Amino acid sequence: MVVLVGLNTDRTAGQRSDLSRIKAWWRTLGGDGFVALPPPTRSRYTQSDGHEDAAELFATRGIPETASFAYWHWQSHDAFARSGDLRGALYLHWGGDHATVATGLGEGPPGYRIVNNGPQGAFQLDKVTATDADGLPDPEDTAGVRQFLSRIDEPRRRTARSTEYDPLAPAEERWLHDRLSGPVDLDAAVRFTAPLEHRQALTPDETARLLSAWRETYAGRLAAWRGWRSVLPALLRQEHPEAWEVAAELGADAAYALAAHPSPRSLELLRTWALTGDEGAVRGWFRAHHALREPDPVRAAHALSEELTDGTAPEAAQTGLLHALRETVTDEPDTPRPAPDAFSPSLLATIRFATDDRLPRPLRVAAAKAAADTADRVREAAGRLPDAAEALAAVDRYETVRDDLLAGTGPDLTGYEGGLGDIYHRYRTLSPADARWLHDRLADPATGVQGIAFCLELLYAHGKATEADLVALLPRWKKELTKQYRTTYTEWRHPLTTLTCLALDLEHPAAADLLAWWSKPKPLWKEPVRLLAHLGAPTEAKAAELWEFVVSGGHDTGHLMTWVLLRARLDGTPPLHVAEKLIGEPGIRPYVLHRVLIGVADPAQPLWHYAIDPRSHSWWHRAQEVADDPRLSDAARAIGMKAAREHYVTRYPDQVRPPLTEGEVNAARAWLEARADRTAAD
């Protein structure tokens, strides 16, 4: 039995919790090529963990790898309250054949229903609820209220700058107002204010009463109440005298609301926040400036870009301004629309902005970076655009100036971590300009832990990390780099791991201090990754200690990858061949080895991700290379072939990031078709 940590599911007889009922039903599932994984513990936190659990279960029980399966992970488990009651739809993830999973899950347990969101979505399990003749739930029916609010708060149209909702029926609006008519309960009110204000239907009386309770309960921390995102727009819309004081206290988070209600006062607040580099504030500032001061969006962007440059705002501010300009231009009613099967007008707009001499260079550089994955798609789709010749000319102009604009630039190191993983394949080789940029980022005190991890890993793996990089980071390691940073879902390791490897390789005196820190029992987060630092200055003793852990069955967070790379350095052998020799080795879990075999295909840029990422360009190319490498055994090449077949490049190409061109998808399909005989043999 799986123990669900932190949950109290005990009930008196006849009062079983939702969790108990669902688990009882879940245990009845299985058969006909379908497996229901056991309910999750905290170790199954993501979909990658779920697929790894499936692989381990299949290997342990002798279940064919082709079996289909369903599961939920710990993040999905948040659908349950501590009592075990279902407080939201439970997302059921899956692998294998979608139709087999749908049949295996059926309609759900009695009193519940399953929603099938199709081959590219998760299934949802929720309660069956009742409504009255107007389609309204009983206010005491928690699940019914939740489902009703979810339904009416689903937008009917969403653009980059606005969201539209269907109007409420009179009975629906009365029902919502009734929920706000009694004494103010801020926690409960959050759910009912949003659908009303989305239709600009909060009344002045409701707004005033909510404001009074909000300011009293959350004095000094107004942003802590989630309902402010509905109340502030209502205050601005109703021109309430306290609106500006509240907005100023909320800070840059309120930018979207101020931008939707442009005025000289909102413009000044937005400008102040924008000059700090806050991207949301930059976008709001542009919208307000465009509405009040400059109707031409390009001239408006030019003026704001120069202010950002003069104010030494962070580079990300120019990116925010580009997004705002692009949203405005492509949202205009007279914007030419390409055919429905083409692509968003914003792609072509980005290409054009990169060469638009009316824009300052910092903004054109931001456009050139954003267009890096756009040019080929625009060129490919030109025949479907209203003005194909002009679109092709725009691409030609962009490609002429691209290298000049991008020289000495790199990605935003502070943004979404997955975005850096999406472009990792661009750094499979490092140009001199790339290396200089990476070195400069490590020397910059403003570079955060994520940026250090990304840059240092690339330089170290390519053999270009230097003593200067080490020296630049040493003053920061105790205060900044000893913090927990989750890296099992990225292509790079914790930066202190990589820094320790570099210090060991360089035989720098700091290595002793770093090793002493790793040997201490605390903080606890470091224990799962401590042995990864053995890759620096490898020895037979380090290899033996790593191997002992690998075959112990302990949770692998890069240990086998580290052992393979370490062994390769000791023996002067390509890591791919080291990994190949482990096929069938007792104590080596196949699903871990398969990921490592492909991950080390290029030793100059090993892929440290926790699992084979089916949405990644890097993993697709390495899978192809392993499958086609004539130096490898049939068993090793079959591993590459299996990973290639399961990659999304042909199955769900729209989920690959950065987006693929049609030519890339067609080439991938042709590659797989040419090897269909090997697929059948596997």
Side-chain angles (χ1 to χ4, degrees), residues 579-595:
E580 177 187 26
K581 292 178 182 177
L582 297 177
I583 298 174
E585 179 75 19
I588 301 297
R589 288 164 287 191
Y591 63 90
V592 177
L593 176 59
H594 294 182
R595 182 248 304 169

Side-chain angles (χ1 to χ4, degrees), residues 617-638:
H617 287 247
S618 290
W619 286 93
W620 163 249
H621 294 311
R622 311 301 169 84
Q624 285 183 295
E625 291 162 18
V626 170
D628 281 347
D629 193 331
R631 301 167 298 172
L632 298 178
S633 65
D634 289 344
R637 297 175 70 190

Side-chain angles (χ1 to χ4, degrees), residues 230-314:
S230 299
V231 173
L232 176 61
L235 293 172
L236 292 166
R237 175 172 57 83
Q238 296 162 9
E239 299 183 353
H240 193 285
E242 295 182 54
W244 298 106
E245 184 180 343
V246 169
E249 184 172 341
L250 288 168
D253 286 345
Y256 82 99
L258 269 62
H261 297 84
S263 70
R265 292 185 73 173
S266 66
L267 188 63
E268 187 55 36
L269 266 180
L270 288 165
R271 179 182 181 277
T272 300
W273 297 332
L275 292 177
T276 68
D278 184 273
E279 187 171 336
V282 171
R283 296 166 85 155
W285 183 32
F286 174 83
R287 289 181 60 186
H289 182 87
H290 176 45
L292 295 173
R293 300 279 178 82
E294 178 50 76
D296 182 272
V298 173
R299 285 201 296 266
H302 183 285
L304 270 55
S305 177
E306 291 193 327
E307 280 204 64
L308 290 171
T309 302
D310 293 342
T312 64

Side-chain angles (χ1 to χ4, degrees), residues 410-472:
D412 178 9
L413 297 174
T414 65
Y416 167 53
E417 185 180 69
L420 290 175
D422 290 343
I423 62 168
Y424 209 62
H425 61 283
R426 296 184 193 164
Y427 293 92
R428 191 162 176 180
T429 59
L430 295 184
S431 69
D434 289 333
R436 282 195 301 272
W437 186 84
L438 294 167
H439 289 305
D440 289 345
R441 298 291 75 70
L442 292 179
D444 185 350
T447 303
V449 172
Q450 176 175 287
I452 293 171
F454 177 83
C455 297
L456 187 59
E457 184 72 61
L458 285 171
L459 288 168
Y460 181 79
H462 284 287
K464 296 185 180 297
T466 65
E467 185 173 359
D469 298 319
L470 173 66
V471 170

